[in-house]
Each structure stands twice: as C-alpha cells, then as structure tokens.
Amino acid sequence: MEEKTFCPNCGSENVGSSRFCMICGSALPTAPVATHVPGITPEKEPMVEETMPKTVENTPKEEVEAVFVATNDEPAVPEMMFEVPVAPAYPIYEREIHVERQPEPMPPKKEMTENIPAIPAKKKSRHIGAKIFAVLFAIILFATGFIPTILYPVHEMLDEDNLRSAVEKADIYKIVEDLIDGEDVGDFIVDNVHVKMQGKLNPSEKQVKKLLQNEDIKEFLADKLVDFATDIKEDNGDGELTSRDVYEFVKDNRDAISTAVGYTLRDAELELIEEQLDKDEFDISLDTVREKYPEVSEYVTFAVSDVGLYCAYGIVILFALIIFLICLKCVPVALKTVGIVFFINGGIALLIKPAFSVTAKILKGTLGKYDSLITSLGAPLLNGFVMIGLMFVCAGAAMIVINIIVSLITKLVAKIKAKRA
C-alpha cells in the first residue's frame, strides 16, 4: 500500500514518494530511516490519515509536528518534534482546490498598434454659417465693385491729357454743326456778326472747316474743357466760358482767321465784333449749376476727385478682406468667391464700349445736337471702362488660378500624409 502524505502548506493529499506537493509545489516532509534504541520498545504510531486534520486553517502553529512512519523492516524511533512553517490561513477544502488565475501581462504598446489599420482623417466640414455670410458679402462686393467701375472712367474722361487728346482727334466742324441743329456753319457765323460785316464775310464750308481745324482754335477749346474738368474735380471756379473770352480769342488769332477765311480783320471790325458779343452776352459757368444744386455739386466733386476714387478702391478691398476673414479656415473658398465677383465686374465693364458702339449705330441721331459731342469727347470715358474692366478681370482670373493651385497643393499634402500614416 502506497503511503499518503499531506502537504503542510495547502493540506492536499499526495500519494507516493513525491518530495513536492502536486498542487501548490511546496516541499513535503521526508520519512527518515528509523533506528533501534536498546531498552526502548516503540509504541505503535497512528497512521498519518488518522492524525492529520482535514484542513490546516484552524490548526495552531504550536501543534504542528512531524510524523515519522517506520518501515516494516526497521523499528520505529521516537518522534522528533520540529516546527513546520504554516502558510497564511485561507479556506481550502479537501479535493476542491480553487486557484486564482493571475491576469496575463499586457502586450507591449508597439504590438498592440502595429497591426491596427490607420483610420483615414475625415475632411473638415465647412461651416454653413461662414458660407452664408461669404455669399452675402460677395453680393455686397459685387454691388460696391460698380462704384470704381463707374468713377474710374469718369476720372479718366476729366483727365487733362485725355481731354486734349480727345479735342485733337475730334471733328469740331461736325460738333458745331450738330450744336446749331444742322445749319451751315458759315451762314451761322455770318448771321451772328455785326450787320456792317455781313456783306464782307462769306466763308465757304471748306474755309470754315479749315478754320475750325486750326491748332490755335483746338487749343483754345481744350483749355476751356480742362478748366471745366478741373473745376468739377477741385471746385476752383475756373469752369467758365463768356463772350469776352471769345472776343479775346478772335483778337489774338486774327491772322489765323484771315488765313483760313481769306479776309483780314481790321481794328474797326474787331470793335464791331466786340459790340455784337457784348450785345449777345453769354456766360456758361459751373457756378450757376452750383447755386441751384449745392449738395449735388459737392457729392459730384468728391466722387470724381482723386480722394473719392481711392475711397472707392478702399471699399472694394475692405469687403474682399471681410470675405477672407470669414473664410479664414478655408482660403480656397474665399479666393474663388472674390475671384468670381471681380471677374464678373470686369466682364460687364468690358462690354460697355462695344455695347455703346452698337447702340450709337442703331440710335444714330437720337441724341440730337449732342450726338457728335458725346461720341468725340466720350472716347476717354469708354477707354476708362476698358481699363477698369481689364483690371478687374485680371485680378479675378489671378485669384481663381491661385485657388486652383492651392487646392491641388492641399490634396497633394493630404495624400502624402495619408501614405505616411
């Protein structure tokens, strides 16, 4: 029969000659070889199964002792008491051992994340409110864009160099003919001189055209137009044309008049012209208009001045910057919005000149006596629309191109980041 040994640590039953507990692995008590002592009769030792408690939970430490089992061949020896270390008390029942499993160690951080697929970053959603405000300010920008679109051509028309160039290219005879409702210009001149001179003057159409194309006359007209333009922009009071101005011009240029008409004016005839002009006495001045419409004149003066033009540019730039601030986190949207607005404004400005030409041909003569005047002196105005249109179109196209480049770069950077992730 195999010997049974109980573990002093967990109380489990172990069969055979194992030196360690099959349950907890603790060292089991060994059975030493018994020796015979003369004169002492050994007593029968109880079996280990009868003396070993079922549990060691409530067994005092002092009562734990070693048990030696004698073999069949050799007599038993007296018991030797020794102290066996006892494990902390906790409930252990016979044939039913509950072993608490230790949690498995967590794998390293690298092992946890190396096989997890990268989650693609979601595109940032654009704020709906920012889009709405961007559209509203784009409409305002489109409306305010018409301020410089109109003021710049007017400013160009009132420029001194542009006025002189327009007068140089203008057909003065045709302008005067339209202003006198188609009457012969030579007859008109004869009818408006003194009666004593009417029999002496009889210029032909060719002579009158030569006279009106004279450089001195064109320079005189250009000077007067420049005075009016400067007076409109600066309110300096120079915009005036009187009968006295006409007399002084005739007096100073009598040689040129004599060459064109074929008649030399004498001093007595100049006095007759002066008398006739004083009798008619005309005075064309901007002061008269300012007296009737003072507030309107002030607004017009400010609008066509250099300061007014710069303010118009500033307003457009301000609203464009507001759109960029609203779309600060989405610059391509701002570039695209402002670029489209500028492009549309410029396109409309570029269409004004061809539209005017087509309309003038269709409605030829509708403007009456001002038809030739507007066509001739309006050239700087129409050229101004072309210039401002080109500026807006170029600015808008540049922003649209920049928007495309920025979008491509953004997509490329996103792809590179996704690959690296």
Side-chain angles (χ1 to χ4, degrees), residues 147-181:
I147 300 176
T149 302
I150 296 173
L151 292 184
Y152 180 81
V154 174
H155 191 271
E156 287 294 297
M157 184 183 68
L158 298 178
D159 182 73
E160 179 178 349
D161 295 336
N162 293 334
L163 280 175
R164 293 187 183 279
S165 177
V167 172
E168 183 66 27
K169 298 176 182 178
D171 187 354
I172 305 299
Y173 182 88
K174 179 63 176 174
I175 293 175
V176 174
E177 187 179 40
D178 288 343
L179 290 175
I180 61 178
D181 297 328

PDB file of all heavy atoms in Angstrom, residues 147-181:
ATOM      1  N   ILE A 147     -18.900 100.876 -58.054  1.00  0.00           N
ATOM      2  CA  ILE A 147     -18.516 102.265 -57.727  1.00  0.00           C
ATOM      3  C   ILE A 147     -17.222 102.645 -58.446  1.00  0.00           C
ATOM      4  O   ILE A 147     -17.203 103.639 -59.195  1.00  0.00           O
ATOM      5  CB  ILE A 147     -18.389 102.438 -56.203  1.00  0.00           C
ATOM      6  CG1 ILE A 147     -19.725 102.129 -55.529  1.00  0.00           C
ATOM      7  CG2 ILE A 147     -17.933 103.855 -55.868  1.00  0.00           C
ATOM      8  CD1 ILE A 147     -19.668 102.183 -54.015  1.00  0.00           C
ATOM      9  N   PRO A 148     -16.121 101.904 -58.260  1.00  0.00           N
ATOM     10  CA  PRO A 148     -14.929 102.253 -59.041  1.00  0.00           C
ATOM     11  C   PRO A 148     -15.092 101.977 -60.528  1.00  0.00           C
ATOM     12  O   PRO A 148     -14.426 102.614 -61.353  1.00  0.00           O
ATOM     13  CB  PRO A 148     -13.834 101.373 -58.424  1.00  0.00           C
ATOM     14  CG  PRO A 148     -14.542 100.229 -57.815  1.00  0.00           C
ATOM     15  CD  PRO A 148     -15.849 100.778 -57.334  1.00  0.00           C
ATOM     16  N   THR A 149     -15.969 101.034 -60.874  1.00  0.00           N
ATOM     17  CA  THR A 149     -16.194 100.746 -62.289  1.00  0.00           C
ATOM     18  C   THR A 149     -16.755 101.957 -63.018  1.00  0.00           C
ATOM     19  O   THR A 149     -16.480 102.162 -64.206  1.00  0.00           O
ATOM     20  CB  THR A 149     -17.149  99.551 -62.438  1.00  0.00           C
ATOM     21  OG1 THR A 149     -16.600  98.423 -61.763  1.00  0.00           O
ATOM     22  CG2 THR A 149     -17.373  99.192 -63.887  1.00  0.00           C
ATOM     23  N   ILE A 150     -17.514 102.784 -62.320  1.00  0.00           N
ATOM     24  CA  ILE A 150     -18.087 103.995 -62.919  1.00  0.00           C
ATOM     25  C   ILE A 150     -17.180 105.205 -62.694  1.00  0.00           C
ATOM     26  O   ILE A 150     -16.963 106.020 -63.602  1.00  0.00           O
ATOM     27  CB  ILE A 150     -19.493 104.260 -62.345  1.00  0.00           C
ATOM     28  CG1 ILE A 150     -20.439 103.121 -62.749  1.00  0.00           C
ATOM     29  CG2 ILE A 150     -20.039 105.595 -62.837  1.00  0.00           C
ATOM     30  CD1 ILE A 150     -21.797 103.207 -62.108  1.00  0.00           C
ATOM     31  N   LEU A 151     -16.641 105.322 -61.486  1.00  0.00           N
ATOM     32  CA  LEU A 151     -15.859 106.517 -61.163  1.00  0.00           C
ATOM     33  C   LEU A 151     -14.539 106.575 -61.930  1.00  0.00           C
ATOM     34  O   LEU A 151     -14.097 107.658 -62.322  1.00  0.00           O
ATOM     35  CB  LEU A 151     -15.581 106.575 -59.655  1.00  0.00           C
ATOM     36  CG  LEU A 151     -16.784 106.822 -58.754  1.00  0.00           C
ATOM     37  CD1 LEU A 151     -16.339 106.952 -57.306  1.00  0.00           C
ATOM     38  CD2 LEU A 151     -17.522 108.090 -59.183  1.00  0.00           C
ATOM     39  N   TYR A 152     -13.920 105.420 -62.145  1.00  0.00           N
ATOM     40  CA  TYR A 152     -12.633 105.447 -62.857  1.00  0.00           C
ATOM     41  C   TYR A 152     -12.775 105.971 -64.286  1.00  0.00           C
ATOM     42  O   TYR A 152     -11.984 106.828 -64.710  1.00  0.00           O
ATOM     43  CB  TYR A 152     -12.018 104.042 -62.863  1.00  0.00           C
ATOM     44  CG  TYR A 152     -10.693 103.978 -63.580  1.00  0.00           C
ATOM     45  CD1 TYR A 152      -9.518 104.375 -62.956  1.00  0.00           C
ATOM     46  CD2 TYR A 152     -10.624 103.534 -64.897  1.00  0.00           C
ATOM     47  CE1 TYR A 152      -8.304 104.332 -63.620  1.00  0.00           C
ATOM     48  CE2 TYR A 152      -9.414 103.477 -65.572  1.00  0.00           C
ATOM     49  CZ  TYR A 152      -8.260 103.884 -64.929  1.00  0.00           C
ATOM     50  OH  TYR A 152      -7.068 103.843 -65.598  1.00  0.00           O
ATOM     51  N   PRO A 153     -13.751 105.523 -65.089  1.00  0.00           N
ATOM     52  CA  PRO A 153     -13.909 106.098 -66.429  1.00  0.00           C
ATOM     53  C   PRO A 153     -14.197 107.601 -66.402  1.00  0.00           C
ATOM     54  O   PRO A 153     -13.685 108.344 -67.252  1.00  0.00           O
ATOM     55  CB  PRO A 153     -15.090 105.322 -67.015  1.00  0.00           C
ATOM     56  CG  PRO A 153     -15.083 104.018 -66.282  1.00  0.00           C
ATOM     57  CD  PRO A 153     -14.650 104.367 -64.895  1.00  0.00           C
ATOM     58  N   VAL A 154     -15.033 108.044 -65.452  1.00  0.00           N
ATOM     59  CA  VAL A 154     -15.303 109.490 -65.352  1.00  0.00           C
ATOM     60  C   VAL A 154     -14.025 110.239 -65.001  1.00  0.00           C
ATOM     61  O   VAL A 154     -13.751 111.330 -65.545  1.00  0.00           O
ATOM     62  CB  VAL A 154     -16.403 109.742 -64.299  1.00  0.00           C
ATOM     63  CG1 VAL A 154     -16.594 111.240 -64.074  1.00  0.00           C
ATOM     64  CG2 VAL A 154     -17.714 109.104 -64.729  1.00  0.00           C
ATOM     65  N   HIS A 155     -13.258 109.674 -64.102  1.00  0.00           N
ATOM     66  CA  HIS A 155     -11.986 110.290 -63.718  1.00  0.00           C
ATOM     67  C   HIS A 155     -11.050 110.370 -64.927  1.00  0.00           C
ATOM     68  O   HIS A 155     -10.345 111.370 -65.120  1.00  0.00           O
ATOM     69  CB  HIS A 155     -11.343 109.469 -62.603  1.00  0.00           C
ATOM     70  CG  HIS A 155     -10.190 110.135 -61.952  1.00  0.00           C
ATOM     71  ND1 HIS A 155      -8.896 110.006 -62.409  1.00  0.00           N
ATOM     72  CD2 HIS A 155     -10.115 110.952 -60.870  1.00  0.00           C
ATOM     73  CE1 HIS A 155      -8.077 110.701 -61.647  1.00  0.00           C
ATOM     74  NE2 HIS A 155      -8.789 111.286 -60.701  1.00  0.00           N
ATOM     75  N   GLU A 156     -11.043 109.343 -65.747  1.00  0.00           N
ATOM     76  CA  GLU A 156     -10.213 109.347 -66.949  1.00  0.00           C
ATOM     77  C   GLU A 156     -10.709 110.373 -67.964  1.00  0.00           C
ATOM     78  O   GLU A 156      -9.912 111.017 -68.661  1.00  0.00           O
ATOM     79  CB  GLU A 156     -10.207 107.957 -67.582  1.00  0.00           C
ATOM     80  CG  GLU A 156      -9.387 106.938 -66.806  1.00  0.00           C
ATOM     81  CD  GLU A 156      -7.912 107.283 -66.810  1.00  0.00           C
ATOM     82  OE1 GLU A 156      -7.312 107.302 -67.890  1.00  0.00           O
ATOM     83  OE2 GLU A 156      -7.369 107.564 -65.708  1.00  0.00           O
ATOM     84  N   MET A 157     -12.012 110.530 -68.068  1.00  0.00           N
ATOM     85  CA  MET A 157     -12.566 111.497 -69.009  1.00  0.00           C
ATOM     86  C   MET A 157     -12.217 112.929 -68.619  1.00  0.00           C
ATOM     87  O   MET A 157     -12.018 113.796 -69.480  1.00  0.00           O
ATOM     88  CB  MET A 157     -14.093 111.341 -69.089  1.00  0.00           C
ATOM     89  CG  MET A 157     -14.757 112.235 -70.127  1.00  0.00           C
ATOM     90  SD  MET A 157     -16.547 112.090 -70.123  1.00  0.00           S
ATOM     91  CE  MET A 157     -16.957 112.807 -68.538  1.00  0.00           C
ATOM     92  N   LEU A 158     -12.103 113.184 -67.326  1.00  0.00           N
ATOM     93  CA  LEU A 158     -11.794 114.543 -66.847  1.00  0.00           C
ATOM     94  C   LEU A 158     -10.292 114.791 -66.745  1.00  0.00           C
ATOM     95  O   LEU A 158      -9.885 115.874 -66.323  1.00  0.00           O
ATOM     96  CB  LEU A 158     -12.434 114.767 -65.475  1.00  0.00           C
ATOM     97  CG  LEU A 158     -13.970 114.693 -65.443  1.00  0.00           C
ATOM     98  CD1 LEU A 158     -14.471 114.880 -64.016  1.00  0.00           C
ATOM     99  CD2 LEU A 158     -14.592 115.735 -66.370  1.00  0.00           C
ATOM    100  N   ASP A 159      -9.484 113.803 -67.105  1.00  0.00           N
ATOM    101  CA  ASP A 159      -8.037 113.989 -67.068  1.00  0.00           C
ATOM    102  C   ASP A 159      -7.600 114.972 -68.161  1.00  0.00           C
ATOM    103  O   ASP A 159      -8.113 114.952 -69.293  1.00  0.00           O
ATOM    104  CB  ASP A 159      -7.346 112.642 -67.276  1.00  0.00           C
ATOM    105  CG  ASP A 159      -5.840 112.757 -67.209  1.00  0.00           C
ATOM    106  OD1 ASP A 159      -5.299 112.947 -66.103  1.00  0.00           O
ATOM    107  OD2 ASP A 159      -5.206 112.656 -68.279  1.00  0.00           O
ATOM    108  N   GLU A 160      -6.647 115.834 -67.834  1.00  0.00           N
ATOM    109  CA  GLU A 160      -6.226 116.889 -68.764  1.00  0.00           C
ATOM    110  C   GLU A 160      -5.660 116.311 -70.059  1.00  0.00           C
ATOM    111  O   GLU A 160      -6.031 116.747 -71.166  1.00  0.00           O
ATOM    112  CB  GLU A 160      -5.180 117.781 -68.089  1.00  0.00           C
ATOM    113  CG  GLU A 160      -4.666 118.895 -68.990  1.00  0.00           C
ATOM    114  CD  GLU A 160      -3.662 119.795 -68.292  1.00  0.00           C
ATOM    115  OE1 GLU A 160      -3.531 119.674 -67.055  1.00  0.00           O
ATOM    116  OE2 GLU A 160      -3.014 120.601 -68.981  1.00  0.00           O
ATOM    117  N   ASP A 161      -4.769 115.356 -69.958  1.00  0.00           N
ATOM    118  CA  ASP A 161      -4.152 114.783 -71.158  1.00  0.00           C
ATOM    119  C   ASP A 161      -5.183 114.082 -72.040  1.00  0.00           C
ATOM    120  O   ASP A 161      -5.131 114.197 -73.279  1.00  0.00           O
ATOM    121  CB  ASP A 161      -3.055 113.798 -70.759  1.00  0.00           C
ATOM    122  CG  ASP A 161      -1.899 114.478 -70.051  1.00  0.00           C
ATOM    123  OD1 ASP A 161      -1.703 115.706 -70.259  1.00  0.00           O
ATOM    124  OD2 ASP A 161      -1.197 113.790 -69.270  1.00  0.00           O
ATOM    125  N   ASN A 162      -6.114 113.383 -71.423  1.00  0.00           N
ATOM    126  CA  ASN A 162      -7.140 112.699 -72.202  1.00  0.00           C
ATOM    127  C   ASN A 162      -8.073 113.687 -72.892  1.00  0.00           C
ATOM    128  O   ASN A 162      -8.514 113.453 -74.027  1.00  0.00           O
ATOM    129  CB  ASN A 162      -7.946 111.765 -71.305  1.00  0.00           C
ATOM    130  CG  ASN A 162      -7.123 110.599 -70.792  1.00  0.00           C
ATOM    131  OD1 ASN A 162      -6.142 110.196 -71.424  1.00  0.00           O
ATOM    132  ND2 ASN A 162      -7.496 110.061 -69.650  1.00  0.00           N
ATOM    133  N   LEU A 163      -8.381 114.798 -72.219  1.00  0.00           N
ATOM    134  CA  LEU A 163      -9.241 115.809 -72.834  1.00  0.00           C
ATOM    135  C   LEU A 163      -8.563 116.459 -74.042  1.00  0.00           C
ATOM    136  O   LEU A 163      -9.185 116.647 -75.097  1.00  0.00           O
ATOM    137  CB  LEU A 163      -9.607 116.879 -71.801  1.00  0.00           C
ATOM    138  CG  LEU A 163     -10.726 116.516 -70.820  1.00  0.00           C
ATOM    139  CD1 LEU A 163     -10.890 117.624 -69.778  1.00  0.00           C
ATOM    140  CD2 LEU A 163     -12.041 116.298 -71.559  1.00  0.00           C
ATOM    141  N   ARG A 164      -7.322 116.793 -73.896  1.00  0.00           N
ATOM    142  CA  ARG A 164      -6.600 117.431 -75.010  1.00  0.00           C
ATOM    143  C   ARG A 164      -6.483 116.465 -76.191  1.00  0.00           C
ATOM    144  O   ARG A 164      -6.599 116.860 -77.357  1.00  0.00           O
ATOM    145  CB  ARG A 164      -5.223 117.892 -74.552  1.00  0.00           C
ATOM    146  CG  ARG A 164      -5.277 119.027 -73.535  1.00  0.00           C
ATOM    147  CD  ARG A 164      -3.890 119.579 -73.215  1.00  0.00           C
ATOM    148  NE  ARG A 164      -3.954 120.609 -72.197  1.00  0.00           N
ATOM    149  CZ  ARG A 164      -4.281 121.882 -72.421  1.00  0.00           C
ATOM    150  NH1 ARG A 164      -4.575 122.287 -73.650  1.00  0.00           N
ATOM    151  NH2 ARG A 164      -4.309 122.751 -71.428  1.00  0.00           N
ATOM    152  N   SER A 165      -6.236 115.201 -75.891  1.00  0.00           N
ATOM    153  CA  SER A 165      -6.159 114.214 -76.959  1.00  0.00           C
ATOM    154  C   SER A 165      -7.501 114.044 -77.658  1.00  0.00           C
ATOM    155  O   SER A 165      -7.560 113.901 -78.898  1.00  0.00           O
ATOM    156  CB  SER A 165      -5.695 112.874 -76.376  1.00  0.00           C
ATOM    157  OG  SER A 165      -5.677 111.875 -77.365  1.00  0.00           O
ATOM    158  N   ALA A 166      -8.603 114.067 -76.879  1.00  0.00           N
ATOM    159  CA  ALA A 166      -9.935 113.928 -77.471  1.00  0.00           C
ATOM    160  C   ALA A 166     -10.271 115.122 -78.358  1.00  0.00           C
ATOM    161  O   ALA A 166     -10.840 114.960 -79.453  1.00  0.00           O
ATOM    162  CB  ALA A 166     -10.974 113.787 -76.359  1.00  0.00           C
ATOM    163  N   VAL A 167      -9.910 116.321 -77.926  1.00  0.00           N
ATOM    164  CA  VAL A 167     -10.168 117.516 -78.740  1.00  0.00           C
ATOM    165  C   VAL A 167      -9.330 117.484 -80.014  1.00  0.00           C
ATOM    166  O   VAL A 167      -9.798 117.877 -81.107  1.00  0.00           O
ATOM    167  CB  VAL A 167      -9.876 118.794 -77.920  1.00  0.00           C
ATOM    168  CG1 VAL A 167      -9.947 120.038 -78.809  1.00  0.00           C
ATOM    169  CG2 VAL A 167     -10.862 118.923 -76.774  1.00  0.00           C
ATOM    170  N   GLU A 168      -8.119 117.015 -79.897  1.00  0.00           N
ATOM    171  CA  GLU A 168      -7.240 116.935 -81.067  1.00  0.00           C
ATOM    172  C   GLU A 168      -7.810 115.988 -82.128  1.00  0.00           C
ATOM    173  O   GLU A 168      -7.695 116.255 -83.337  1.00  0.00           O
ATOM    174  CB  GLU A 168      -5.854 116.455 -80.622  1.00  0.00           C
ATOM    175  CG  GLU A 168      -4.836 116.393 -81.737  1.00  0.00           C
ATOM    176  CD  GLU A 168      -4.471 117.762 -82.308  1.00  0.00           C
ATOM    177  OE1 GLU A 168      -4.577 118.763 -81.567  1.00  0.00           O
ATOM    178  OE2 GLU A 168      -4.090 117.809 -83.496  1.00  0.00           O
ATOM    179  N   LYS A 169      -8.445 114.914 -81.705  1.00  0.00           N
ATOM    180  CA  LYS A 169      -8.997 113.939 -82.642  1.00  0.00           C
ATOM    181  C   LYS A 169     -10.433 114.261 -83.058  1.00  0.00           C
ATOM    182  O   LYS A 169     -10.959 113.641 -84.004  1.00  0.00           O
ATOM    183  CB  LYS A 169      -8.974 112.545 -82.011  1.00  0.00           C
ATOM    184  CG  LYS A 169      -7.575 112.045 -81.686  1.00  0.00           C
ATOM    185  CD  LYS A 169      -7.624 110.703 -80.962  1.00  0.00           C
ATOM    186  CE  LYS A 169      -6.231 110.219 -80.602  1.00  0.00           C
ATOM    187  NZ  LYS A 169      -6.262 108.927 -79.852  1.00  0.00           N
ATOM    188  N   ALA A 170     -11.064 115.202 -82.396  1.00  0.00           N
ATOM    189  CA  ALA A 170     -12.485 115.489 -82.647  1.00  0.00           C
ATOM    190  C   ALA A 170     -12.675 116.283 -83.946  1.00  0.00           C
ATOM    191  O   ALA A 170     -11.804 117.047 -84.372  1.00  0.00           O
ATOM    192  CB  ALA A 170     -13.080 116.253 -81.474  1.00  0.00           C
ATOM    193  N   ASP A 171     -13.830 116.088 -84.542  1.00  0.00           N
ATOM    194  CA  ASP A 171     -14.232 116.870 -85.721  1.00  0.00           C
ATOM    195  C   ASP A 171     -15.049 118.067 -85.220  1.00  0.00           C
ATOM    196  O   ASP A 171     -16.265 117.974 -85.015  1.00  0.00           O
ATOM    197  CB  ASP A 171     -15.052 115.991 -86.658  1.00  0.00           C
ATOM    198  CG  ASP A 171     -15.368 116.684 -87.983  1.00  0.00           C
ATOM    199  OD1 ASP A 171     -15.049 117.888 -88.114  1.00  0.00           O
ATOM    200  OD2 ASP A 171     -15.922 116.017 -88.873  1.00  0.00           O
ATOM    201  N   ILE A 172     -14.364 119.181 -85.044  1.00  0.00           N
ATOM    202  CA  ILE A 172     -15.019 120.354 -84.448  1.00  0.00           C
ATOM    203  C   ILE A 172     -16.145 120.860 -85.351  1.00  0.00           C
ATOM    204  O   ILE A 172     -17.190 121.311 -84.865  1.00  0.00           O
ATOM    205  CB  ILE A 172     -13.988 121.472 -84.193  1.00  0.00           C
ATOM    206  CG1 ILE A 172     -12.820 120.942 -83.334  1.00  0.00           C
ATOM    207  CG2 ILE A 172     -14.644 122.666 -83.503  1.00  0.00           C
ATOM    208  CD1 ILE A 172     -13.213 120.447 -81.987  1.00  0.00           C
ATOM    209  N   TYR A 173     -15.939 120.832 -86.644  1.00  0.00           N
ATOM    210  CA  TYR A 173     -16.972 121.303 -87.575  1.00  0.00           C
ATOM    211  C   TYR A 173     -18.260 120.510 -87.384  1.00  0.00           C
ATOM    212  O   TYR A 173     -19.352 121.080 -87.343  1.00  0.00           O
ATOM    213  CB  TYR A 173     -16.468 121.171 -89.015  1.00  0.00           C
ATOM    214  CG  TYR A 173     -17.458 121.687 -90.027  1.00  0.00           C
ATOM    215  CD1 TYR A 173     -17.462 123.035 -90.401  1.00  0.00           C
ATOM    216  CD2 TYR A 173     -18.394 120.841 -90.634  1.00  0.00           C
ATOM    217  CE1 TYR A 173     -18.376 123.525 -91.338  1.00  0.00           C
ATOM    218  CE2 TYR A 173     -19.309 121.312 -91.551  1.00  0.00           C
ATOM    219  CZ  TYR A 173     -19.293 122.655 -91.900  1.00  0.00           C
ATOM    220  OH  TYR A 173     -20.217 123.140 -92.818  1.00  0.00           O
ATOM    221  N   LYS A 174     -18.137 119.173 -87.270  1.00  0.00           N
ATOM    222  CA  LYS A 174     -19.318 118.332 -87.098  1.00  0.00           C
ATOM    223  C   LYS A 174     -19.989 118.618 -85.762  1.00  0.00           C
ATOM    224  O   LYS A 174     -21.228 118.640 -85.678  1.00  0.00           O
ATOM    225  CB  LYS A 174     -18.897 116.859 -87.181  1.00  0.00           C
ATOM    226  CG  LYS A 174     -20.019 115.872 -86.995  1.00  0.00           C
ATOM    227  CD  LYS A 174     -21.057 115.999 -88.093  1.00  0.00           C
ATOM    228  CE  LYS A 174     -22.129 114.931 -87.963  1.00  0.00           C
ATOM    229  NZ  LYS A 174     -23.230 115.131 -88.957  1.00  0.00           N
ATOM    230  N   ILE A 175     -19.194 118.850 -84.728  1.00  0.00           N
ATOM    231  CA  ILE A 175     -19.763 119.144 -83.408  1.00  0.00           C
ATOM    232  C   ILE A 175     -20.550 120.453 -83.452  1.00  0.00           C
ATOM    233  O   ILE A 175     -21.686 120.527 -82.958  1.00  0.00           O
ATOM    234  CB  ILE A 175     -18.647 119.220 -82.353  1.00  0.00           C
ATOM    235  CG1 ILE A 175     -18.006 117.825 -82.164  1.00  0.00           C
ATOM    236  CG2 ILE A 175     -19.189 119.719 -81.017  1.00  0.00           C
ATOM    237  CD1 ILE A 175     -16.811 117.818 -81.244  1.00  0.00           C
ATOM    238  N   VAL A 176     -19.937 121.500 -84.078  1.00  0.00           N
ATOM    239  CA  VAL A 176     -20.626 122.805 -84.171  1.00  0.00           C
ATOM    240  C   VAL A 176     -21.876 122.675 -85.036  1.00  0.00           C
ATOM    241  O   VAL A 176     -22.926 123.248 -84.724  1.00  0.00           O
ATOM    242  CB  VAL A 176     -19.673 123.867 -84.750  1.00  0.00           C
ATOM    243  CG1 VAL A 176     -20.409 125.187 -84.988  1.00  0.00           C
ATOM    244  CG2 VAL A 176     -18.492 124.081 -83.818  1.00  0.00           C
ATOM    245  N   GLU A 177     -21.793 121.916 -86.089  1.00  0.00           N
ATOM    246  CA  GLU A 177     -22.946 121.724 -86.969  1.00  0.00           C
ATOM    247  C   GLU A 177     -24.098 121.061 -86.224  1.00  0.00           C
ATOM    248  O   GLU A 177     -25.273 121.449 -86.401  1.00  0.00           O
ATOM    249  CB  GLU A 177     -22.527 120.887 -88.177  1.00  0.00           C
ATOM    250  CG  GLU A 177     -23.610 120.775 -89.249  1.00  0.00           C
ATOM    251  CD  GLU A 177     -23.132 119.951 -90.426  1.00  0.00           C
ATOM    252  OE1 GLU A 177     -22.439 118.922 -90.179  1.00  0.00           O
ATOM    253  OE2 GLU A 177     -23.439 120.320 -91.575  1.00  0.00           O
ATOM    254  N   ASP A 178     -23.777 120.070 -85.407  1.00  0.00           N
ATOM    255  CA  ASP A 178     -24.828 119.421 -84.611  1.00  0.00           C
ATOM    256  C   ASP A 178     -25.387 120.362 -83.550  1.00  0.00           C
ATOM    257  O   ASP A 178     -26.595 120.357 -83.274  1.00  0.00           O
ATOM    258  CB  ASP A 178     -24.286 118.161 -83.950  1.00  0.00           C
ATOM    259  CG  ASP A 178     -24.052 117.041 -84.959  1.00  0.00           C
ATOM    260  OD1 ASP A 178     -24.595 117.128 -86.071  1.00  0.00           O
ATOM    261  OD2 ASP A 178     -23.308 116.094 -84.621  1.00  0.00           O
ATOM    262  N   LEU A 179     -24.510 121.165 -82.966  1.00  0.00           N
ATOM    263  CA  LEU A 179     -24.965 122.091 -81.912  1.00  0.00           C
ATOM    264  C   LEU A 179     -25.897 123.182 -82.463  1.00  0.00           C
ATOM    265  O   LEU A 179     -26.755 123.693 -81.743  1.00  0.00           O
ATOM    266  CB  LEU A 179     -23.763 122.731 -81.229  1.00  0.00           C
ATOM    267  CG  LEU A 179     -22.924 121.793 -80.347  1.00  0.00           C
ATOM    268  CD1 LEU A 179     -21.690 122.517 -79.822  1.00  0.00           C
ATOM    269  CD2 LEU A 179     -23.730 121.236 -79.193  1.00  0.00           C
ATOM    270  N   ILE A 180     -25.732 123.541 -83.743  1.00  0.00           N
ATOM    271  CA  ILE A 180     -26.620 124.573 -84.350  1.00  0.00           C
ATOM    272  C   ILE A 180     -27.721 123.910 -85.176  1.00  0.00           C
ATOM    273  O   ILE A 180     -28.301 124.531 -86.086  1.00  0.00           O
ATOM    274  CB  ILE A 180     -25.812 125.558 -85.207  1.00  0.00           C
ATOM    275  CG1 ILE A 180     -25.115 124.827 -86.359  1.00  0.00           C
ATOM    276  CG2 ILE A 180     -24.813 126.318 -84.356  1.00  0.00           C
ATOM    277  CD1 ILE A 180     -24.326 125.764 -87.297  1.00  0.00           C
ATOM    278  N   ASP A 181     -28.011 122.627 -84.836  1.00  0.00           N
ATOM    279  CA  ASP A 181     -29.121 121.872 -85.427  1.00  0.00           C
ATOM    280  C   ASP A 181     -28.982 121.701 -86.934  1.00  0.00           C
ATOM    281  O   ASP A 181     -29.961 121.790 -87.692  1.00  0.00           O
ATOM    282  CB  ASP A 181     -30.453 122.547 -85.099  1.00  0.00           C
ATOM    283  CG  ASP A 181     -30.725 122.564 -83.615  1.00  0.00           C
ATOM    284  OD1 ASP A 181     -30.285 121.610 -82.921  1.00  0.00           O
ATOM    285  OD2 ASP A 181     -31.359 123.515 -83.114  1.00  0.00           O
TER     286      ASP A 181
END
